[in-house]
Amino acid sequence: MGLFRRGPKRDPRELARDEEFSFFSEREGRVFRSEVRQAFAEHGLEVTAYPGVVTDSAGRQFGLGNLAAVCHRDRRGERCWPRLIRDHVGKVLRTMDGPQPLEILSHDEIRACLYPRIVAQETLPASDAFRYGHEPAPGLREVLALDLPEAVQMLSEDSLSDLGDVAELRIRAMNNLRALPVEGHETVRRGDGSAFEVLLGDSFFTASRVLVLDDLVERLMGTALTRDGALVALPFRHQLAFHRIHDAQVIPALQAMAQFAAAGHEDAAGAISPRVYWWRRGMMTPLSEPDGDGLRVVVDMEFQDMLERLVQDET
């Protein structure tokens, strides 16, 4: 999963856009939903397609947002959509129709595949099913999830009730997160001298490794974070960016990461946040905000004081 690569061939932006997924043209949207219907038909299910979901005769709904984003962003273009869609639909139906993991796995097996996952609050149900989760930053929620062979299943508060104390389960999940291998790591260097690190991976928990950032930075960089912490960005589930704060290069790094986070978040499968955060001892403070078609960097007095101190240290 590289950072910079040639994009897929797409219909020109001047063409009329799909009403639900603006990254598709109207024609691409029709092709996408036709392939989705065909994939379900191959499993004996007739579905009705709506802009953002399809429904079957039993009333089950299947969201299309992440699948649409995966198809849109695949560099091979439209020719690979049928296989991507068939694979996705097959996994979804096997997960829904097969035995439920909490019913067939032992407690030890459940704990072995338990991880914390950071998601955008807006992607969770409006119910209180995930109220147990921590809020690492405004608009984000940390929940517990099972990493299964064909799916990642987020666990509601009710489903956790038979597994033990939530705090103890989180400790086990965090230990599992720390033990994950590093799939990919790249350094992004800009012409202004700024640089930041990007962790990439197919794991759904790549971005969630911000929860163990201090351990991760020392593992990757061979040096610990300072008391000033780091800049972090988690545009979508497969990507985590960070800049270790130790000198005045944090200023251009913040601008570069703000652009990077906003671009990575747009149209991404598993989108989390377009913002850059100031990470200190596990606390995350937003530093950038989308502003129409642009970006706005907003820092508080504490961050400003730190910048002035770092600049003064270099003079």
Side-chain angles (χ1 to χ4, degrees):
M1 183 182 296
L3 279 177
F4 306 108
R5 61 192 182 191
R6 180 178 297 176
K9 183 178 180 180
R10 299 168 178 153
D11 283 351
R13 293 293 299 182
E14 304 82 58
L15 296 181
R17 312 316 295 171
D18 183 80
E19 62 176 304
E20 180 71 17
F21 307 120
S22 61
F23 46 76
F24 283 156
S25 67
E26 284 185 350
R27 184 198 66 81
E28 289 169 332
R30 290 194 298 271
V31 171
F32 169 73
R33 293 180 182 86
S34 175
E35 293 291 349
V36 170
R37 287 192 294 269
Q38 177 61 32
F40 276 98
E42 291 173 4
H43 290 271
L45 287 176
E46 182 177 348
V47 296
T48 302
Y50 297 95
V53 300
V54 295
T55 61
D56 65 10
S57 58
R60 297 184 299 181
Q61 286 193 349
F62 305 88
L64 299 178
N66 280 341
L67 179 57
V70 166
C71 289
H72 168 68
R73 292 173 69 93
D74 195 291
R75 67 181 184 276
R76 294 166 297 179
E78 200 172 308
R79 62 186 173 85
C80 74
W81 290 7
R83 184 181 63 79
L84 290 174
I85 292 170
R86 284 197 301 272
D87 289 349
H88 176 84
V89 169
K91 289 178 181 179
V92 167
L93 292 176
R94 285 193 295 272
T95 300
M96 294 186 68
D97 296 337
Q100 295 305 298
L102 294 180
E103 297 174 356
I104 62 173
L105 296 179
S106 69
H107 278 205
D108 286 344
E109 289 172 325
I110 289 172
R111 283 168 166 76
C113 61
L114 187 66
Y115 292 86
R117 182 180 179 189
I118 291 183
V119 297
Q121 178 72 52
E122 63 188 21
T123 64
L124 294 173
S127 66
D128 293 331
F130 297 94
R131 63 183 176 183
Y132 70 87
H134 297 270
E135 187 179 86
L140 303 182
R141 179 74 65 173
E142 175 199 329
V143 300
L144 294 177
L146 297 178
D147 189 16
L148 304 169
E150 290 197 322
V152 170
Q153 179 180 334
M154 295 190 295
L155 300 176
S156 67
E157 188 166 3
D158 287 344
S159 64
L160 290 170
S161 58
D162 294 331
L163 299 180
D165 179 71
V166 173
E168 293 180 0
L169 292 171
R170 183 175 184 267
I171 291 173
R172 177 57 186 267
M174 293 286 280
N175 288 337
N176 290 342
L177 187 66
R178 288 188 183 93
L180 282 177
V182 173
E183 296 181 67
H185 169 221
E186 300 182 19
T187 301
V188 178
R189 301 188 187 279
R190 303 286 293 258
D192 57 10
S194 64
F196 57 93
E197 312 300 320
V198 181
L199 199 71
L200 312 102
D202 292 329
S203 168
F204 276 44
F205 305 99
T206 301
S208 301
R209 296 177 78 152
V210 72
L211 296 170
V212 292
L213 186 70
D214 44 2
D215 291 340
L216 180 66
V217 169
E218 191 157 9
R219 178 177 172 184
L220 286 177
M221 312 299 291
T223 184
L225 291 172
T226 70
R227 63 188 175 96
D228 293 323
L231 302 178
V232 297
L234 38 162
F236 61 106
R237 64 194 179 204
H238 301 296
Q239 199 173 81
L240 170 65
F242 67 87
H243 171 84
R244 179 176 166 272
I245 299 175
H246 57 93
D247 60 24
Q249 284 299 311
V250 64
I251 299 172
L254 173 56
Q255 294 288 345
M257 287 182 64
Q259 297 172 359
F260 178 86
H265 178 267
E266 185 180 9
D267 306 337
I272 300 177
S273 174
R275 297 171 176 81
V276 177
Y277 300 89
W278 183 18
W279 185 101
R280 287 174 300 162
R281 298 177 295 279
M283 304 297 293
M284 293 166 56
T285 304
L287 297 177
S288 69
E289 294 284 344
D291 186 16
D293 293 331
L295 296 167
R296 183 164 55 99
V297 173
V298 181
V299 301
D300 60 18
M301 285 302 300
E302 193 172 1
F303 190 83
Q304 183 65 38
D305 289 344
M306 181 198 68
L307 293 181
E308 293 175 1
R309 169 170 51 81
L310 292 174
V311 170
Q312 185 175 8
D313 287 346
E314 294 190 359
T315 58

